[in-house]
Amino acid sequence: MFSGIQPTADSFHLGNYLGALRSWVRMQDTHDSLYCVVDLHAITAGHEPKVLRQRTRVAAAQLLAIGIDPERSTLFVQSHVPAHAELAWVLGCITGFGEASRMTQFKDKAARQGTDRASVGLFTYPVLMAADILLYRAAEVPVGEDQRQHLELSRDLAQRFNRDFGKTFVVPEAYIPADTAKITDLQDPTSKMSKSSSSPNGIVELLDEPSRSAKRIRSAVTDTGREIVYDPEHKPGISNLLSIYSALSGETVAELERRYEGHGYGDLKKDLGQVVADFTTPIRERTQGYLDDPAELDKILAVGAEKARVLADATLRQVYDRVGFLPAA
Ligand code: AQP
């Protein structure tokens, strides 16, 4: 099993955690797992080198803090394993231009940045993601709903390569949690909570101070009604808060609806602020603990990269052979 996350913000948000990272932690018990901080992906939309380096460490520290265990899983940084970029080139050569042009995430981001400013790297982002996954012959990929189309492309490329050059890749399946596949923006509950497109008040960050998270939750957009019921179509704001509450507390949405019968939105928001604080405070503290010892953190990542390189290089050698490259002496 493989999955990755971009170091494109100072903190992960609850959408990242509930849509993907929570499954990462759980799947360590049942799967041979590889987890990657995808820094190559993080330079597709403009970046500051010093900030990227810091965010890459913060990303790795947060993954350790939420419970990724480097003894049981392989945790590494994408740029430490050159085979990712090398396989992406080969896969790019079997990807149709029209096929890549249909990726909605590129279309959305390019529309926001302006087509002239959007990079070729942003365009080929999903091909690099396919390389990440296929290198490790991953059968399952835990992601949020927003990545479904990219996963579909990875499957198509695996099948195409296997057909044209002989069976090489495992065709991966997306693992998308039913209840929290899409956590939405607190200020615009019809859009996904997103590091790059949400306003700061639309996001709850794992590393936020509890008072700031509570304030953002208190100011979350809700509808004009009074009833606390789960109805994503008519009450997207309240439904999003109920999803988050249920996922973090372990209570079902139906139990929460019963508990808050006759209460106002303010009560739900206040209690959710506390639930979020209880959840994020130990994560924030543990993250800081890892950041206080960067040498140890870098050592964990070096060990992870070494393990990943062994697997990735074996796949890449096979791919190079299958496509007809002359072996290096
Ligand atoms: N709102 C969300 N709900 C559920 N899952 C989500 N994910 C992201 N947002 C939500 C999942 O988090 C994983 C890692 O995200 P990423 O940083 O690699 O990719 P992303 O989708 O690009 O995340 P953002 O916040 O939207 O970042 P930007 O704005 O920089 O693109 C993925 O599995 C994703 O599905």
Side-chain angles (χ1 to χ4, degrees):
M1 195 263 290
F2 173 93
S3 200
I5 187 154
Q6 299 186 77
T8 43
D10 296 329
S11 169
F12 297 144
H13 56 68
L14 279 182
N16 299 136
Y17 179 76
L18 296 175
L21 304 180
R22 188 169 58 138
S23 310
W24 293 21
V25 177
R26 289 179 182 162
M27 289 170 94
Q28 299 182 107
D29 296 333
T30 48
H31 292 66
D32 217 344
S33 315
L34 291 113
Y35 299 120
C36 188
V37 179
V38 292
D39 54 348
L40 299 180
H41 281 101
I43 64 167
T44 55
H47 73 287
E48 179 86 42
K50 223 167 96 185
V51 174
L52 176 63
R53 201 164 290 128
Q54 172 62 8
R55 285 178 171 176
T56 302
R57 282 212 180 90
V58 175
Q62 279 176 99
L63 293 176
L64 294 164
I66 63 166
I68 299 301
D69 174 1
E71 298 286 324
R72 289 188 295 151
S73 302
T74 302
L75 173 65
F76 68 104
V77 174
Q78 190 184 27
S79 64
H80 293 176
V81 183
H84 289 248
E86 294 170 294
L87 180 60
W89 176 259
V90 176
L91 294 178
C93 294
I94 62 163
T95 307
F97 183 79
E99 186 176 35
S101 308
R102 284 193 289 277
M103 296 294 122
T104 54
Q105 196 169 92
F106 172 74
K107 288 197 275 189
D108 292 348
K109 289 189 175 180
R112 282 205 299 274
Q113 291 176 16
T115 325
D116 281 344
R117 291 193 54 209
S119 69
V120 173
L122 185 65
F123 183 67
T124 56
Y125 178 116
V127 177
L128 178 58
M129 178 168 157
D132 299 340
I133 297 162
L134 301 185
L135 264 183
Y136 301 101
R137 304 182 210 261
E140 282 185 79
V141 185
V143 285
E145 180 61 43
D146 59 312
Q147 295 296 331
R148 188 185 287 280
Q149 194 189 28
H150 289 167
L151 236 299
E152 214 35 64
L153 179 71
S154 301
R155 290 172 56 81
D156 290 346
L157 293 178
Q159 281 161 344
R160 194 171 305 156
F161 190 97
N162 288 348
R163 186 197 64 206
D164 294 348
F165 299 106
K167 178 138 182 36
T168 308
F169 296 126
V170 171
V171 180
E173 296 278 349
Y175 175 83
I176 299 179
D179 46 344
T180 52
K182 182 177 167 185
I183 298 299
T184 61
D185 184 323
L186 298 182
Q187 292 300 313
D188 173 11
T190 54
S191 305
K192 75 163 186 167
M193 186 179 284
S194 160
K195 293 189 222 99
S196 62
S197 60
S198 294
S199 69
N201 286 337
I203 304 176
V204 178
E205 296 183 333
L206 295 189
L207 302 183
D208 256 353
E209 287 295 329
S211 59
R212 193 148 75 143
S213 305
K215 195 163 159 228
R216 289 179 179 182
I217 291 165
R218 267 202 314 278
S219 67
V221 167
T222 43
D223 58 279
T224 49
R226 295 178 56 84
E227 258 185 300
I228 297 178
V229 287
Y230 185 80
D231 177 356
E233 196 185 334
H234 301 105
K235 292 165 131 340
I238 279 296
S239 302
N240 190 40
L241 297 182
L242 284 170
S243 295
I244 295 172
Y245 199 142
S246 163
L248 293 183
S249 70
E251 284 174 88
T252 64
V253 167
E255 281 165 353
L256 291 171
E257 284 174 338
R258 272 197 301 278
R259 183 135 72 83
Y260 284 97
E261 220 176 295
H263 288 263
Y265 293 163
D267 295 335
L268 176 80
K269 287 174 167 179
K270 183 163 159 281
D271 294 351
L272 177 57
Q274 191 56 50
V275 168
V276 167
D278 292 345
F279 174 73
T280 55
T281 299
I283 292 178
R284 207 178 56 250
E285 288 169 0
R286 283 198 295 268
T287 301
Q288 195 51 54
Y290 287 109
L291 291 173
D292 288 342
D293 191 353
E296 178 59 24
L297 183 59
D298 289 353
K299 206 162 89 196
I300 292 172
L301 294 174
V303 171
E306 188 52 44
K307 285 200 279 179
R309 268 198 296 269
V310 171
L311 298 170
D313 288 350
T315 306
L316 189 74
R317 265 200 309 279
Q318 195 178 22
V319 167
Y320 274 19
D321 179 57
R322 297 254 155 102
V323 298
F325 292 158
L326 197 63

